């Protein structure tokens, strides 16, 4: 018996949070200095260029900071497994779009069996998950997390 047509699980990246905080604070500091340098325009007109360049630099650093923080979303939608990466700078990247049929293999693995260096590893290293899965298809292999309900839905479609 199939319990749900749609189910979503999220895994937030927390391993790069210190780098995000550092670069985000630098960006905010540069914006403050940019505004303060506008006061110096009274004495030196060339401070306009300094103010503009500090502001542009802060924008680039802010974009870099927000591209470090993301969330993996694991969707089970009408028999299709979708893994999407949502960045905090509102960028979306579709990683997996897999119809669940009998050709995929879903294995429960331990944390130490996960290859975090693999480009198809869709798990944050610092995230503590309930279950770790290795999904193998004829074309690819990837790692993801699951809870018991998502795992049961995946195994039901198999």
């Amino acid at each position: 018996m199939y319990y749900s047509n749609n189910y979503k699980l999220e895994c937030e990246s927390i391993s790069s949070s210190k780098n995000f905080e550092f670069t985000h604070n630098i960006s905010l500091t540069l914006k403050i200095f940019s505004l303060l340098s506008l006061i110096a325009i009274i004495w030196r007109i060339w401070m306009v260029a300094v103010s503009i360049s500090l502001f542009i630099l802060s924008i680039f650093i802010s974009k870099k900071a927000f591209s470090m923080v993301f969330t993996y979303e694991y969707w089970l939608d009408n028999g299709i497994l979708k893994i999407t990466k949502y960045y905090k700078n509102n960028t979306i990247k579709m990683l997996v779009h897999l119809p669940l049929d009998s050709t995929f293999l879903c294995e429960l693995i331990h944390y130490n069996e996960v290859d975090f260096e693999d480009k198809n590893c869709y798990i944050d290293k610092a995230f503590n998950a309930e279950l770790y899965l290795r999904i193998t298809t004829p074309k690819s292999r990837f790692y993801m997390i699951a809870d018991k309900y998502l795992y049961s839905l995946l195994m039901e479609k198999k």
Side-chain angles (χ1 to χ4, degrees), residues 36-51:
L36 289 176
S37 67
L38 286 176
I39 297 172
I41 293 175
I42 297 171
W43 297 284
R44 302 281 186 233
I45 194 70
W46 55 269
M47 289 299 286
V48 172
V50 171
S51 176

Side-chain angles (χ1 to χ4, degrees), residues 76 100 104 106 133 150-158:
L76 189 57
L100 299 180
F104 82 98
C106 180
L133 303 178
L150 179 60
Y151 179 68
S152 67
L153 291 176
L154 288 171
M155 294 311 289
E156 179 182 82
K157 295 301 277 183
K158 192 163 172 14

Side-chain angles (χ1 to χ4, degrees), residues 2-27:
Y2 193 64
Y3 298 110
S4 174
N5 285 335
N6 300 313
Y7 186 71
K8 178 176 92 168
L9 184 66
E10 294 182 356
C11 169
E12 192 167 348
S13 72
I14 53 178
S15 61
S16 61
S17 63
K18 291 200 185 285
N19 291 336
F20 166 73
E21 289 175 13
F22 179 72
T23 53
H24 185 61
N25 288 339
I26 288 175
S27 171

Side-chain angles (χ1 to χ4, degrees), residues 28-79:
L28 292 176
T29 305
L30 286 174
K31 285 180 183 166
I32 291 169
F33 282 134
S34 171
L35 290 174
L36 289 176
S37 67
L38 286 176
I39 297 172
I41 293 175
I42 297 171
W43 297 284
R44 302 281 186 233
I45 194 70
W46 55 269
M47 289 299 286
V48 172
V50 171
S51 176
I52 291 172
S53 62
L54 285 175
F55 188 75
I56 291 172
L57 182 62
S58 73
I59 289 173
F60 284 122
I61 291 175
S62 178
K63 284 189 180 226
K64 176 65 177 167
F66 280 104
S67 70
M68 283 191 257
V69 182
F70 55 86
T71 301
Y72 288 116
E73 287 189 355
Y74 311 96
W75 284 85
L76 189 57
D77 186 22
N78 292 325

